[in-house]
Amino acid sequence: MKILKSLFKEQYNPDNFFLIAGPCVVEDEALLMTVAEKVSTICKRLNIPYVFKASYRKANRTSIHSFTGVGDVEGLELLQKIGQTFNVPVTSDIHSAAEAAMAAAYVDILQIPAFLCRQTDILLAAADTGKFVNVKKGQFVSGEAMKFAVEKIEQAGNKNIMLTERGTTFGYQDLVVDYRNIPIMKSHGVPVVMDVTHSLQQPNQTGGVTGGNPHMIGTIAKAAIATGADGLFIETHPDPANAKSDGANMLRLDLLEPLLEDLVRIRQAVYQPGVQHS
């Protein structure tokens, strides 16, 4: 979609999907640099527009003992450094209206967590920054109902909006993906992203750490491209088993390149270059 051109600039490629990828949380500078260098190199080769993602702070952890970040300003400064070093947009999530202006000084896209997608004050505060706003569809919300999130941001004067599908609650400890939500949310006139890794979470585990099914990442991603997703969201880490957040559902970094190669071939097979698709 044309609004993506202002985000990606020279990276913009209307004939391919875009990728939002990085570790779940800012752990340290070395990790961010390792992931950003690897993923940006792959994306340049495959002509995939790339957004680097990491949370500067994790506010929605299951256990009080879970790692939450290295400090707000410290984390945001590292994200800004990644964007400047690799010349890519960067994104992070916010968890309150008060965080919007602070985070907007460092990142290009403000991500609204799924649990907060109905929170009007957060949506309006994010919209007021003028940055791109990526709203994750709540696990409890239909694709149709996400039009109200879009309307709130648009009414605040911001047209730079994305919606992200991340699965629907199924029982207490599982999620399922309803791929009807991709074309439904695209009908709201905004780019739609498939959050591949979070849709494979197994939340609310009694041990206090969210589980996951990373072996299904390829399946979810391929189906998303085939059903028209404009972008993919994939959290990745060199050593997920020792990641400080969401290791159970992240993709190991060395597995990303062959997956993206497959996904580019699927995109080329399904969509004719130069043709706009609804």
Side-chain angles (χ1 to χ4, degrees):
M1 293 186 175
K2 289 183 179 179
I3 67 166
L4 296 173
K5 190 171 185 178
S6 63
L7 175 66
F8 290 111
K9 301 179 176 64
E10 65 271 14
Q11 280 195 77
Y12 179 63
N13 179 9
D15 294 327
N16 209 354
F17 61 90
F18 63 92
L19 178 67
I20 302 173
C24 181
V25 66
V26 174
E27 298 181 15
D28 55 50
E29 182 174 348
L31 171 68
L32 301 194
M33 287 290 178
T34 296
V35 175
E37 181 175 19
K38 177 70 172 179
V39 181
S40 61
T41 299
I42 296 169
C43 287
K44 284 179 182 177
R45 182 176 72 80
L46 297 176
N47 203 13
I48 299 171
Y50 174 45
V51 177
F52 181 86
K53 183 271 169 185
S55 297
Y56 69 89
R57 176 161 57 89
K58 297 298 292 183
N60 54 340
R61 303 309 308 277
T62 302
S63 170
I64 196 171
H65 303 294
S66 297
F67 178 78
T68 58
V70 296
D72 290 357
V73 173
E74 294 84 351
L76 286 165
E77 287 178 342
L78 287 174
L79 288 172
Q80 185 179 58
K81 183 175 182 178
I82 291 295
Q84 294 170 345
T85 301
F86 297 96
N87 193 29
V88 297
V90 295
T91 185
S92 187
D93 40 348
I94 61 172
H95 298 86
S96 70
E99 293 179 44
M102 177 184 68
Y106 299 90
V107 304
D108 303 283
I109 304 172
L110 296 174
Q111 178 181 294
I112 309 301
F115 287 132
L116 302 177
C117 70
R118 289 167 49 91
Q119 296 299 111
T120 301
D121 60 339
I122 296 177
L123 294 175
L124 295 182
D128 286 344
T129 68
K131 296 286 185 170
F132 273 79
V133 183
N134 179 18
V135 187
K136 288 194 171 185
K137 183 187 76 64
Q139 301 92 322
F140 46 89
V141 177
S142 69
E144 290 92 343
M146 288 302 292
K147 69 180 180 180
F148 300 112
V150 172
E151 288 175 358
K152 290 174 183 179
I153 298 168
E154 287 181 338
Q155 287 295 313
N158 190 335
K159 302 289 186 181
N160 299 320
I161 308 164
M162 303 176 189
L163 295 178
T164 293
E165 165 64 31
R166 54 96 73 234
T168 301
T169 299
F170 185 74
Y172 290 108
Q173 295 176 324
D174 204 2
L175 299 169
V176 294
V177 177
D178 181 351
Y179 286 97
R180 294 176 298 179
N181 282 322
I182 292 177
I184 288 170
M185 291 197 294
K186 289 183 71 168
S187 73
H188 304 325
V190 299
V192 173
V193 179
M194 180 72 229
D195 184 342
V196 177
T197 44
H198 285 101
S199 68
L200 291 167
Q201 284 183 330
Q202 294 175 317
N204 305 317
Q205 299 296 309
T206 56
V209 178
T210 297
N213 289 304
H215 60 283
M216 296 295 291
I217 288 172
T219 300
I220 298 294
K222 291 170 185 176
I225 293 300
T227 50
D230 299 292
L232 297 176
F233 180 113
I234 300 176
E235 287 188 337
T236 183
H237 193 287
D239 184 13
N242 289 302
K244 294 184 178 180
S245 177
D246 278 6
N249 53 270
M250 276 198 280
L251 181 68
R252 205 173 71 224
L253 184 59
D254 65 332
L255 299 177
L256 180 63
E257 186 167 15
L259 173 60
L260 292 177
E261 290 173 341
D262 287 345
L263 294 171
V264 168
R265 285 192 288 269
I266 292 171
R267 172 77 184 195
Q268 292 170 342
V270 174
Y271 298 107
Q272 182 180 345
V275 176
Q276 293 294 319
H277 301 274
S278 59

